[in-house]
Amino acid sequence: VMTWWVIVIWYPMADPETAPVVLHESRILVNAIPLPYKAMTVVLNLLPRTILCAWLTYVGSLFLISADDYESLILNGVALAFLIEIDNMLFAAVIGSDIKKAVYESAPLKVSVNHCYAWLKFARMVSQTSLYTIFLVVLNSALLTQAYLGPQGKYEVADALRCLCHAEGPGCVTAQILGSDAFLELSKHN
């Protein structure tokens, strides 16, 4: 998604004197993108994909954190992988062969960015994968902290279950009333 944002923003706009698309040695070359096409691409493609990508990252992380055993974790991971790959499956199943051929014969779009933005210089030194990995580690660390230590988190639920099932724990009223030793003695006789 980030690559497409860079392409749409910095790819040259169509010049009325040159053709935006030419066929060159059985390859389709895109020389420029007209402004209405850029606007349509942003509104109909990039904004929905960006929102979906951000939402899927957040909800998918929470979905994986909610797994309490390895089986659930693996099944949830497979479900998320399916959601991530569904657009490629739809392209393979629904798009006609002539359009697929045109996509595969198109030359890659290359953008030369001559602007002196500090983040672009940083992005050239560090790969996109590294930036995404750092972002996901920070996001998932925050979500894990919230899931375990936050209100009604896993630790708080574990304490509540320990109190309910075993009458143990420093915050358990039942353990304070009965006393842990008294409860254990009572359970041995039953």
Side-chain angles (χ1 to χ4, degrees):
V1 173
M2 291 303 296
T3 304
W4 271 105
W5 277 107
V6 170
I7 288 174
V8 167
I9 291 170
W10 280 298
Y11 208 73
M13 290 209 219
D15 183 14
E17 299 168 4
T18 59
V21 179
V22 293
L23 185 62
H24 180 70
E25 298 176 8
S26 74
R27 299 278 294 180
I28 300 171
L29 298 174
V30 178
N31 295 325
I33 302 174
L35 184 60
Y37 288 8
K38 283 187 174 193
M40 186 174 59
T41 301
V42 167
V43 171
L44 298 177
N45 188 358
L46 285 180
L47 282 177
R49 279 183 182 246
T50 303
I51 292 168
L52 185 64
C53 182
W55 178 79
L56 188 60
T57 300
Y58 176 73
V59 173
S61 297
L62 291 178
F63 191 58
L64 290 175
I65 289 170
S66 70
D68 289 326
D69 57 8
Y70 292 124
E71 180 182 358
S72 298
L73 183 65
I74 291 171
L75 289 175
N76 291 350
V78 170
L80 283 174
F82 173 77
L83 288 176
I84 291 169
E85 289 296 321
I86 193 140
D87 59 338
N88 295 332
M89 291 182 224
L90 285 172
F91 177 79
V94 175
I95 302 299
S97 60
D98 53 337
I99 295 176
K100 285 182 196 172
K101 182 180 176 190
V103 169
Y104 293 135
E105 289 178 354
S106 296
L109 301 178
K110 294 183 181 177
V111 176
S112 62
V113 180
N114 296 326
H115 307 290
C116 297
Y117 295 109
W119 69 272
L120 286 175
K121 290 179 182 178
F122 177 73
R124 286 181 183 157
M125 291 186 307
V126 180
S127 71
Q128 273 188 338
T129 306
S130 300
L131 292 175
Y132 293 146
T133 303
I134 291 168
F135 169 73
L136 288 176
V137 166
V138 170
L139 174 72
N140 285 322
S141 297
L143 290 174
L144 276 169
T145 302
Q146 177 66 23
Y148 278 88
L149 303 176
Q152 298 177 349
K154 290 190 179 232
Y155 285 142
E156 193 172 296
V157 170
D159 288 341
L161 287 173
R162 188 178 309 113
C163 176
L164 179 67
C165 298
H166 301 289
E168 325 181 311
C172 184
V173 176
T174 306
Q176 292 171 3
I177 293 172
L178 294 177
S180 299
D181 296 332
F183 183 74
L184 289 175
E185 288 297 323
L186 183 64
S187 64
K188 288 181 185 176
H189 290 96
N190 289 334

